[in-house]
Amino acid sequence: MSTIGIIIGSTRPNRRGADIGAWVQEAAARRDDASFVLIDLRDFSLPHFDQAIPPAMGGTQSESAKAWANAIGECDGFIFVTAEYNQWLPGALKNAIDFVFAEWCNKAAGIVSYGAAGGLGAAGQLRQMCGQFGIADIPAQVRLTLEADFEDMSRFRPRATSAAALDTMLDQLTAWTSAMEPLRVAAPSALVH
Ligand SMILES: Cc1cc2nc3c(=O)[nH]c(=O)nc-3n(C[C@H](O)[C@H](O)[C@H](O)COP(=O)(O)O)c2cc1C
């Protein structure tokens, strides 16, 4: 059975990302077509990117980078739970993505984005990065807006339509994660670089 990592991409203390990640995990736990694991960037304490050798050209060197690489490597697919900061994906998430290479390759990903306008900018940037790794970014997406999915712009109260969008996204993601398996078995990263 595939393993799909739910990556919480923001790290500040009072982030909305934690509640959203928990909501995704709860919906995912009702399924039996994949297993899901929560991956919280805060658990890894990655520094600003400090690897002497680009990850695409070799392994990771530091202990924190190795732990992060192992967590990503154990997954067959991903759900990026991403905020939008200044029209871009959070710097902490971009930084963490850069720490590994082969561990991302030939997998599948879905996106749960949030922000004033649904975090569409951040989602688009993530999709662009997926191409670099040969990650199949699936079309179904969850777009949570601060106005419609949060009570008083603070407490997370997702709309029924957002919950339905999440189920559709999970349907597509589990199917694509399985569909990409032959590529991962045949050539873990060689098809990308
Ligand atoms: C530094 C910063 C920049 C932000 N820029 C945007 C933005 O460009 N677009 C947007 O929709 N929301 C923006 N927001 C609002 C965030 O969408 C909102 O605060 C969200 O909760 C951030 O995710 P987090 O709570 O998981 O950190 C910004 C918030 C912060 C802290």
Side-chain angles (χ1 to χ4, degrees):
M1 190 186 293
S2 301
T3 299
I4 293 176
I6 302 165
I7 300 175
I8 301 178
S10 61
T11 54
R12 66 195 184 101
N14 54 341
R15 61 196 172 151
R16 291 185 172 94
D19 284 348
I20 299 170
W23 173 68
V24 172
Q25 189 179 29
E26 199 181 302
R30 292 195 287 267
R31 307 180 67 94
D32 59 9
D33 54 356
S35 64
F36 295 82
V37 56
L38 199 64
I39 300 177
D40 189 341
L41 285 193
R42 277 173 61 172
D43 293 338
F44 294 89
S45 302
L46 290 167
H48 286 163
F49 185 76
D50 64 351
Q51 305 296 292
I53 301 169
M57 297 171 66
T60 47
Q61 289 100 51
S62 65
E63 287 311 308
S64 60
K66 279 181 194 158
W68 172 244
N70 286 342
I72 299 306
E74 281 166 11
C75 297
D76 305 299
F78 308 99
I79 299 169
F80 291 107
V81 176
T82 186
E84 181 171 292
Y85 292 167
N86 297 317
Q87 308 290 315
W88 208 260
L89 77 157
L93 178 56
K94 173 65 167 70
N95 186 59
I97 289 171
D98 291 343
F99 265 93
V100 291
F101 189 86
E103 290 83 355
W104 292 118
C105 291
N106 302 324
K107 297 180 177 178
I111 297 171
V112 175
S113 59
Y114 56 101
L120 293 184
Q125 289 133 19
L126 269 173
R127 288 186 184 281
Q128 197 174 342
M129 265 192 290
C130 283
Q132 167 74 354
F133 302 111
I135 294 177
D137 55 313
I138 57 151
Q141 187 176 318
V142 183
R143 306 170 181 86
L144 303 165
T145 74
L146 301 187
E147 190 177 16
D149 292 288
F150 291 81
E151 207 173 276
D152 300 328
M153 303 276 278
S154 59
R155 280 177 302 282
F156 184 43
R157 298 277 185 274
R159 289 168 289 175
T161 50
S162 298
L166 177 58
D167 287 336
T168 303
M169 191 273 275
L170 291 169
D171 287 344
Q172 285 188 8
L173 179 59
T174 53
W176 275 89
T177 299
S178 300
M180 296 289 284
E181 194 179 345
L183 285 184
R184 292 192 294 276
V185 171
S189 63
L191 297 179
V192 178
H193 257 216

